[in-house]
């Protein structure tokens, strides 16, 4: 089988995705000119087959996820995407068809997220497909939204809906509980696992109004605990206020134990942020205007306990509240 | 066996390496404040066990190489290092001893190269150890040294010595030819393969004087061909002018066929640059003052042929002049 060399591969597949700063991928490095008085925000996330995605996933979906999870981190920091670099370790049996679909998905995601390709490296591996993306973004100087700066009394908000992705993964691994879901509901959940929707369009509103933020990638309970620990505070969450999709609501109604999956499962890629009550209306209004739902789920309180999740009279704290990709 | 969680691992091993912009690795992203009127240069290189290094290599050496090959790219672009992010995919059988040695090597290299850790991601893999580094650097706006801008009549220069690393690898894979080398000579060659010495201290001189540059990572013949193709030119190189270490010289004298290994083997991590004859003395003087040897090996000529390597009356062109890591 003849396969293209690395140079051919770059010229044929990757160069068409390059942003201006990527110099057509014809140099050894990208060259960005940051806006005056702006900081550069840098984040990196790696994905490994069978750890972060499943062997049967479409190459285009894998590409979208690899970029999406990084753009989600930028969004949570209030940063507008500038571009990304990609390290791709291809297993011995890769094919050009695989790569063509991968690049198609990557191109679509890069366009959707306004995050062009800046450069990369392609290597071979005797192991599973492994991708590493480093994404760069920009914020006005000093305005990156931190994880350490939530204040007692702030409202705790999340975008979109929580738990769909973890239920989507559960559906694929052991679908017995889902007989009563409609095909549309199943597809909704499965799609949320495959195709994160990073909230990059919310970046400006977050840096205007949020006191602290991070994205929900390892499960709401664990990520909220991280945010609170970093800020030296605790939290009270009303489980009844959690924004659930119709499909997730039905799943939890059918099998109440799935609420744990919703709260501790990973891969939501929604924004978790804290907001002073006086700024809440402004944040909501700006989020509304770009079609991103925001729900208030609780409040930052003093203390160093794990966040409390209340449902009526009962209260739970999740000691192992994260899905570990490691 | 109890092993630290990802959070413990970051706090215990990686956070002490973090530069100011890395925010103590306690946030989701790094935040750089580029100097006013400077561009940000971004490069990424991945390393996979058994492809880019050998399974028995010391963890500290692997770490140094992963950072060194990226800093070498920055140096060739005339960029001063700002910092780096690291994706580390650890195989199932990793140990804390392994990681401690890895981090020790990484810390030393980061200090030597003035390139602090900004962030990273640690994941597990069922395959071989895989690392991806993205390094960032800075140049005054518009001053990145490109690959496309060599001019006909320019002198072609390389730093240091060429071929040691490829001979060092050959020595490890089939050492039969090396019986007449002294232990010191063998160690010199082996060390060049294990421990690249990126030429980051030459960055300022390169952006002042070089017309074009790249680092020699895939073999001199192939990389020179790339530089010439990108610049729309060809080259003539005098093989007698190639800077060889005493050990490499002896190896080639013992077995002349090893000259091909020297010219086409990879992993030199020296700088290949083109310089107007009028600037050659200035470049040499600045390189001298920081103790980096520079040799003139040839000249840029018109045409689109592969570079010609001359030795006396004979002339060779290397059609497959690169070591492919892919």
């Amino acid at each position: 089988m003849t396969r293209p060399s690395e140079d051919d591969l770059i010229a044929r597949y990757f160069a068409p995705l390059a942003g201006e700063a990527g110099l057509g991928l014809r140099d050894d490095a990208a060259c960005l000119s940051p806006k005056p008085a702006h900081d550069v925000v840098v984040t990196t996330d790696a994905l490994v087959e069978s750890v972060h995605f499943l062997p049967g996933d479409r190459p285009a979906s894998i590409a979208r996820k690899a970029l999406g999870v990084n753009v989600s981190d930028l969004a949570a920091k209030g940063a507008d995407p500038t571009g990304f670099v990609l390290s791709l370790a291809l297993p011995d049996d890769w094919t050009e068809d695989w790569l063509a679909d991968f690049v198609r998905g990557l191109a679509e995601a890069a366009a959707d997220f306004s995050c062009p390709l800046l450069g990369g490296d392609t290597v071979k591996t005797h192991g599973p497909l492994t991708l590493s993306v480093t994404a760069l973004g920009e914020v006005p100087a000093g305005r990156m939204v931190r994880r350490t700066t939530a204040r007692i009394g702030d409202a705790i908000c999340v975008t979109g809906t929580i738990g769909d992705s973890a239920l989507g993964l559960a559906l694929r691994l052991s679908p017995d509980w889902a007989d009563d879901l409609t095909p549309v509901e199943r597809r909704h959940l499965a799609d949320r696992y495959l195709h994160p929707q990073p909230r990059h369009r919310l970046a400006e509103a977050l840096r205007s109004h949020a006191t602290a933020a991070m994205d929900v990638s390892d499960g709401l309970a664990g990520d909220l605990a991280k945010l609170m620990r970093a800020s030296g505070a605790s939290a009270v969450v009303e489980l009844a206020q959690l924004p659930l999709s119709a499909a997730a609501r039905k799943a939890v109604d059918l099998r109440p134990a799935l609420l744990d999956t919703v709260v501790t499962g990973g891969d939501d890629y929604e924004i978790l942020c804290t907001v002073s009550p006086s700024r809440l209306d402004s944040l909501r209004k700006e989020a509304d205007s770009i079609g991103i739902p925001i729900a208030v789920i609780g409040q930052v309180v003093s203390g160093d306990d794990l966040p409390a999740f209340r449902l009526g009279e009962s209260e739970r704290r999740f000691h192992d509240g994260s899905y570990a990709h490691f």
Side-chain angles (χ1 to χ4, degrees), chain A:
Chain A
M1 180 169 52
T2 306
R3 294 192 298 199
S5 70
E6 185 178 9
D7 288 342
D8 291 343
L9 205 112
I10 292 169
R12 197 179 318 163
Y13 290 105
F14 290 108
L17 277 63
E20 195 186 338
L23 307 173
L25 307 190
R26 278 187 301 270
D27 213 305
D28 309 285
C31 187
L32 306 170
S33 302
K35 288 199 204 90
H38 277 64
D39 291 336
V40 174
V41 175
V42 187
T43 185
T44 192
D45 265 314
L47 280 78
V48 179
E49 186 177 278
S50 301
V51 179
H52 301 84
F53 56 89
L54 301 180
D57 290 348
R58 273 189 56 204
S61 298
I62 297 167
R64 192 178 188 88
K65 189 163 195 170
L67 184 55
V69 304
N70 279 281
V71 171
S72 179
D73 273 321
L74 290 182
K77 303 291 100 183
D80 300 311
T82 311
F84 72 101
V85 296
L86 167 70
S87 274
L88 184 60
L90 287 172
D92 301 322
D93 61 352
W94 74 276
T95 64
E96 266 204 85
D97 282 352
W98 188 96
L99 195 78
D101 193 51
F102 178 87
V103 169
R104 196 158 39 238
L106 195 64
E108 278 179 23
D112 288 353
F113 308 155
S114 305
C115 191
L117 182 63
L118 300 175
D121 190 23
T122 309
V123 296
K124 61 184 175 188
T125 178
H126 307 306
L129 176 68
T130 304
L131 307 93
S132 174
V133 168
T134 301
L136 291 95
E138 282 187 354
V139 289
R143 298 285 299 285
M144 187 177 104
V145 183
R146 304 284 298 268
R147 195 199 268 188
T148 51
T149 42
R151 291 179 303 210
I152 290 159
D154 283 351
I156 297 170
C157 303
V158 289
T159 56
T161 57
I162 293 294
D164 293 329
S165 181
L167 293 171
L169 176 60
L171 196 62
R172 292 180 67 182
L173 298 180
S174 59
D176 56 302
W177 53 270
D179 290 345
D180 292 321
L181 296 186
T182 66
V184 170
E185 289 163 343
R186 291 158 166 266
R187 266 202 303 279
H188 167 79
L189 298 177
D191 188 66
R192 283 294 304 271
Y193 174 73
L194 287 172
H195 300 125
Q197 296 288 348
R199 301 302 193 174
H200 54 290
R201 296 179 62 233
L202 198 64
E204 189 179 344
L206 287 172
R207 59 183 189 250
S208 297
H209 304 299
T211 52
M214 65 187 291
D215 75 333
V216 188
S217 56
D218 294 336
L220 177 65
D223 286 339
L224 179 60
K226 272 185 206 170
L227 186 63
M228 292 302 108
R229 194 164 52 237
S231 296
S234 185
V236 174
V237 171
E238 299 294 338
L239 278 171
Q241 302 304 315
L242 277 198
L244 299 191
S245 67
R249 174 80 56 204
K250 190 164 164 187
V252 171
D253 286 346
L254 288 168
R255 190 174 291 207
L258 285 173
L259 187 60
D260 281 29
T261 305
V262 165
V263 176
T264 65
D267 291 314
D268 291 301
Y269 303 106
E270 296 289 357
I271 304 287
L272 171 68
C273 65
T274 57
V275 191
S276 158
S278 67
R279 304 297 277 277
L280 195 52
D281 279 349
S282 305
L283 175 63
R284 272 182 163 147
K285 208 166 143 188
E286 288 179 36
D288 260 2
S289 73
I290 50 174
I292 297 180
I294 288 206
V296 177
I297 60 168
Q299 199 178 32
V300 182
V301 299
S302 62
D304 55 7
D305 288 338
L306 282 171
F309 285 76
R310 291 192 183 147
L311 187 60
E313 295 301 300
S314 74
E315 180 179 290
R316 291 183 58 191
R317 295 175 199 264
F318 293 88
H319 289 272
D320 191 15
S322 284
Y323 178 75
H325 287 109
F326 172 71

